[in-house]
Amino acid sequence: MADQNQHEQHLLFALSQSDECAFAEIYKTYWKLLHDTAYKRLGDKDQAKDVVQDIFVKLWDQRENLAIDNLKAYLQTAARYQVYNLIAREKVNDTYFKYLATFETSLGAADQNVLYAELQERFGAILNKMPVKRREVFDLRYEEGLSTHDIAEKLNITQKTVQNQLIKAVDTIKEALLMLFLLLAFLFR
């Protein structure tokens, strides 16, 4: 363990000196672990590859200013953070919403209107059940289009708190709507 930590510290020092071989070794050692971490949360191999690529690009770009004690933990945390950012920016290919799009085309106009009204009602109910601060963060992000940085400044909270609240809000909405979609799929099959 001490040898591994010493080896990582040597790699990190070499990386800070722009040693491409050290970077390549870090990449080779941790690529699969990071890909698996991202894929487990996203369920999309291409998006997981993009997340890992972003992590290594940032690692290289910030190589001269890094202060890392545990490289593995740092990279795994970076992977989770990238995934959360991706989810918060609504770039995740959500299979449930794809299903809804195909499901919607099989319905008649009257059924679509009923479905749309039901979704709006459920969405409103979900938002109303959220804690006040979470709802405020969600509204500022998705209704007013503010960045997480701007929301943090406006509400005098950390950007990490904003991101955590957005993740929780999106997860709550997805879970509730999934149940509705499953019910509708059962009723209209």
Side-chain angles (χ1 to χ4, degrees), residues 79 81 104-105 134 141 147 154:
Y81 181 76
E104 189 176 80
T105 61
R134 186 173 302 155
R141 177 70 180 113
S147 69
K154 184 173 185 164

Side-chain angles (χ1 to χ4, degrees), residues 26-56 72 75-80 82-83 86:
I26 293 169
Y27 184 90
K28 183 178 175 183
T29 302
Y30 291 105
W31 188 92
K32 182 170 178 12
L33 174 70
L34 297 179
H35 182 268
D36 292 348
T37 299
Y39 180 70
K40 182 172 77 174
R41 288 168 172 79
L42 294 171
D44 183 298
K45 288 185 179 188
D46 290 332
Q47 285 183 326
K49 287 178 186 176
D50 290 344
V51 163
V52 175
Q53 198 65 29
D54 287 346
I55 291 166
F56 282 110
K72 180 179 178 182
L75 291 172
Q76 285 184 300
T77 300
R80 287 191 298 273
Q82 286 290 104
V83 167
L86 187 63

Side-chain angles (χ1 to χ4, degrees), residues 5-157:
N5 190 31
Q6 190 175 12
H7 180 66
E8 282 186 357
Q9 291 306 315
H10 173 73
L11 284 174
L12 287 167
F13 177 77
L15 177 66
S16 73
Q17 304 299 308
S18 300
D19 184 331
E20 292 177 9
C21 291
F23 178 78
E25 185 174 341
I26 293 169
Y27 184 90
K28 183 178 175 183
T29 302
Y30 291 105
W31 188 92
K32 182 170 178 12
L33 174 70
L34 297 179
H35 182 268
D36 292 348
T37 299
Y39 180 70
K40 182 172 77 174
R41 288 168 172 79
L42 294 171
D44 183 298
K45 288 185 179 188
D46 290 332
Q47 285 183 326
K49 287 178 186 176
D50 290 344
V51 163
V52 175
Q53 198 65 29
D54 287 346
I55 291 166
F56 282 110
V57 167
K58 287 179 183 177
L59 183 68
W60 180 258
D61 289 345
Q62 298 172 357
R63 66 190 176 278
E64 296 171 357
N65 302 316
L66 294 173
I68 301 172
D69 293 325
N70 183 331
L71 182 59
K72 180 179 178 182
Y74 173 85
L75 291 172
Q76 285 184 300
T77 300
R80 287 191 298 273
Y81 181 76
Q82 286 290 104
V83 167
Y84 295 148
N85 275 341
L86 187 63
I87 292 169
R89 289 190 316 253
E90 296 184 294
K91 290 188 178 176
V92 174
N93 291 331
D94 193 329
T95 57
Y96 307 116
F97 290 107
K98 286 180 181 177
Y99 171 76
L100 179 63
T102 59
F103 176 72
E104 189 176 80
T105 61
S106 67
L107 299 175
D111 289 335
Q112 285 182 2
N113 290 338
V114 170
L115 176 61
Y116 182 73
E118 177 69 18
L119 285 174
Q120 277 190 310
E121 184 179 320
R122 292 287 176 112
F123 186 72
I126 294 165
L127 291 179
N128 288 333
K129 288 181 183 178
M130 281 186 196
V132 174
K133 284 293 184 187
R134 186 173 302 155
R135 169 78 188 265
E136 185 177 15
V137 167
F138 183 86
D139 286 343
L140 288 171
R141 177 70 180 113
Y142 295 104
E143 297 295 323
E144 296 184 28
L146 296 180
S147 69
T148 56
H149 176 74
D150 293 340
I151 295 168
E153 284 186 358
K154 184 173 185 164
L155 299 180
N156 198 27
I157 57 178

Side-chain angles (χ1 to χ4, degrees), residues 150-168:
D150 293 340
I151 295 168
E153 284 186 358
K154 184 173 185 164
L155 299 180
N156 198 27
I157 57 178
T158 67
Q159 193 169 352
K160 183 71 174 169
T161 300
V162 170
Q163 291 165 344
N164 287 339
Q165 291 299 316
L166 287 172
I167 289 166
K168 289 177 183 177

